[in-house]
Amino acid sequence: MQAYTALLRNYQELNSNTINELQKEDEQPSPLEFMRHVARNRPFVGRGAARAWPAVRKWNIAYLKQRMAGRKVNIAVTPLGNADAPIEWIHDGGVVSKGGGGGGGGGGGYIFVQPSETIQPFSAFVDGLMNGMREGEPVAYAQSQNDNLRNEYLCLFPDVMSGIDWARIALQREPEAINLWIGTEKSTTALHKDNYENIYVQIIGQKHFVLLPPIEGPCVNETVMPQGVYEQVMGEGGQNVWNIKKLDQAEPIPVAIWDPDNPGQRASKYSALSCPLRVTLNPGDMLYLPSTWYHKVTQTCGPEGICVAVNYWLESPGHSYVQH
């Protein structure tokens, strides 16, 4: 523990506990400047860097519904807005329930839960978000993460950039995926990491990021757990209730169970050493989130009751992360 503590403290002394912001409003980095951030494996924010995008200037509910008229989309549905997240569970015969929610005495622990998915008209999905979804109703989120902006949302694609030029030139790669995210403050993203360089652009509302560098991996208390998926089943009174179906064919995966916003819970012996970085993106802001950085995301809606963002995933160049 002493060796890791010394290593982490040294890293934290050499690197700021705030996220670097480009010096000028609306500024975008050159490919060389971007590559310096990639080489150091450090994030940055460009305030207003996407302000001139048609999406930032034009998108509102009326416009989105008009462009998406007659189209159906894939929607993630969860009871609490906690898709792709670890929860405590009780296991009984292939079906699991949230800890304390029944399920018998068949064992327990943590399980990584994916959302239920449904196909519905885009207009109905957005109307539900705008109306705030009544208390107790499932939480809906457009978060398919499968290059959806170049597929099911293709009619909106001309309003964003087909690529981020300075990232494409620096990494010599086109985006692996370009994703659209539409939801409300009821949807949250648990602490996790991705193996892609991520350029995140806020369109409507705000996104609030909590970021941890890869060196803080021992702080997040990664725990190997099975995978499951939310499903609605018929309860004793004939009403629909939420259960979790364990995916027996899916390999167990390591998942962070420590939450930097609740530091006293699920902590490892190193969690107290963590120094999370925090940043809020406003419409038109752009965040570079390096590969393998842990991040947790919450959101605040815009005036019409929705939050919209776009992200670009690019394959990591496989560089070694050297700090200077």
Side-chain angles (χ1 to χ4, degrees), residues 27 83 140 220:
E27 181 182 5
V220 305

Side-chain angles (χ1 to χ4, degrees), residues 76 191 196 216 237 240-241 243 259 268 284:
L191 190 69
Y196 290 97
E216 293 192 9
N240 286 332
V241 297
N243 270 331
D259 182 351
S268 76

Side-chain angles (χ1 to χ4, degrees), residues 48-114:
R51 185 173 295 158
W53 288 21
V56 177
R57 294 186 286 106
K58 295 163 55 176
W59 283 8
N60 55 38
I61 286 178
Y63 180 86
L64 294 174
K65 290 174 69 173
Q66 183 270 325
R67 295 289 294 169
M68 291 290 292
R71 298 175 184 269
K72 294 184 177 182
V73 293
N74 180 291
I75 302 300
V77 183
T78 58
L80 301 172
N82 57 339
D84 301 319
I87 70 165
E88 296 180 72
W89 60 284
I90 297 170
H91 178 222
D92 184 15
V95 175
V96 297
S97 300
K98 191 173 180 181
Y110 291 99
I111 187 167
F112 178 77
V113 188
Q114 302 169 23

Side-chain angles (χ1 to χ4, degrees), residues 249-317:
Q249 302 304 313
E251 290 289 330
I253 57 174
V255 179
I257 64 171
W258 181 67
D259 182 351
D261 290 326
N262 295 287
Q265 300 178 14
R266 302 177 177 180
S268 76
K269 61 182 179 180
Y270 301 109
S271 297
L273 303 175
S274 175
C275 291
L277 284 67
R278 299 176 185 271
V279 65
T280 292
L281 298 186
N282 299 309
D285 289 347
M286 186 179 292
L287 167 69
Y288 164 57
L289 177 59
S291 171
T292 69
W293 270 63
Y294 294 94
H295 51 289
K296 174 186 176 182
V297 191
T298 57
Q299 50 196 6
T300 301
C301 293
E304 294 185 302
I306 64 172
C307 184
V308 181
V310 173
N311 88 293
Y312 296 73
W313 274 330
L314 296 96
E315 184 181 351
S316 175

